[in-house]
Amino acid sequence: FADTYLPGRSPVGLHLATNASIYRAGRISGIVGDARELGIDREPVPTAYFCDSIPSPFPWFLVRTVGQSTSVVGAVRAKLQAIEPLRSIYDVAPLDERIADAFEQNRLRTIVISVFAVAALSLACLGVWGTLSYLVTLRRREIGLRLSLGAPRVGILSHFLGQAVRVAVIACACGLALSAVFARVLSSMLYGVSASDPATLSRVVAIVLGVAVLAALVPAARAALAEPMRILREE
């Protein structure tokens, strides 16, 4: 609030008035740190706290404890009952549990997205493996001729691996373009990292390329280790 509306000056001692009828113009007596009032996964917004003399029907208490937090629940209940006997105390939980509940929807969304991501990566792996296996089958005669004429097996291996890498690079480029298009949608599902974070995108690209190379390794190795005379006799 202070940085947004009173940049470069101290607001302490100034008076603040609002349009709300229940609040009077009050003197600013201090500044507190930013708080994520709208949710832990949302950025802080300018907020002003008023010293409210009207009793709230639903107050929340945050109690600092030493050791197990659940061990002091009885003592806290007894103390509050002694102060205000008509006040009922319920929904007591450790702060860690509250924070975990705040991330429950994001956690579920992350699990669902992760499952779909693993499924997509598996399908891509099968696609690369199946396509290269089919290409090796179609080009068996060519492979046999090359090997019989003295072509190095390493060259055959690198040729088919290069094809897989080219396909994976094109797929990664398309994925990066789509992530840029849907960056605004993805940003609402992320916390602590942006949708265009270079480190995260680099790791994803590296994983996809690595999986593509591993998927292509079996058919490429089969082509490189083929016996040329046997292939030519079969053809």
Side-chain angles (χ1 to χ4, degrees), residues 164-169 172 204-214:
V165 171
R166 282 194 295 271
V167 173
V169 168
C172 289
V204 171
V205 170
I207 291 173
V208 173
L209 292 177
V211 169
V213 171
L214 291 176

Side-chain angles (χ1 to χ4, degrees), residues 48-235:
Y49 300 97
F50 289 84
C51 183
D52 195 354
S53 60
I54 303 175
S56 174
F58 304 107
W60 292 86
F61 297 96
L62 183 63
V63 181
R64 185 189 298 272
T65 63
V66 178
Q68 291 292 334
S69 58
T70 55
S71 61
V72 299
V73 173
V76 172
R77 287 181 183 273
K79 189 65 175 179
L80 291 177
Q81 288 289 341
I83 297 174
E84 193 171 354
L86 298 180
R87 176 78 68 178
S88 61
I89 302 171
Y90 59 93
D91 199 14
V92 180
L95 184 59
D96 293 340
E97 185 177 326
R98 298 291 186 190
I99 296 175
D101 291 341
F103 286 107
E104 185 175 358
Q105 290 186 353
N106 286 345
R107 189 181 302 110
L108 178 61
R109 189 184 298 119
T110 301
I111 292 174
V112 173
I113 293 176
S114 299
V115 170
F116 280 107
V118 171
L121 195 60
S122 301
L123 291 176
C125 180
L126 290 175
V128 171
W129 177 81
T131 302
L132 278 186
S133 297
Y134 181 67
L135 288 176
V136 169
T137 302
L138 289 180
R139 300 174 62 180
R140 290 179 73 248
R141 182 177 178 82
E142 176 190 344
I143 295 170
L145 288 174
R146 286 189 177 187
L147 291 174
S148 63
L149 294 175
R153 296 183 183 273
V154 176
I156 300 295
L157 180 66
S158 61
H159 172 73
F160 286 101
L161 286 180
Q163 287 187 336
V165 171
R166 282 194 295 271
V167 173
V169 168
I170 295 174
C172 289
C174 295
L176 291 175
L178 289 175
S179 67
V181 172
F182 294 101
R184 180 173 297 180
V185 178
L186 294 174
S187 61
S188 63
M189 304 179 184
L190 301 175
Y191 173 70
V193 64
S194 65
S196 58
D197 181 56
T200 302
L201 294 178
S202 300
R203 285 193 290 267
V204 171
V205 170
I207 291 173
V208 173
L209 292 177
V211 169
V213 171
L214 291 176
L217 193 59
V218 174
R222 190 180 66 182
L225 298 176
E227 293 296 333
M229 298 306 298
R230 180 180 178 182
I231 293 176
L232 294 177
R233 281 198 302 267
E234 291 177 355
E235 294 293 334

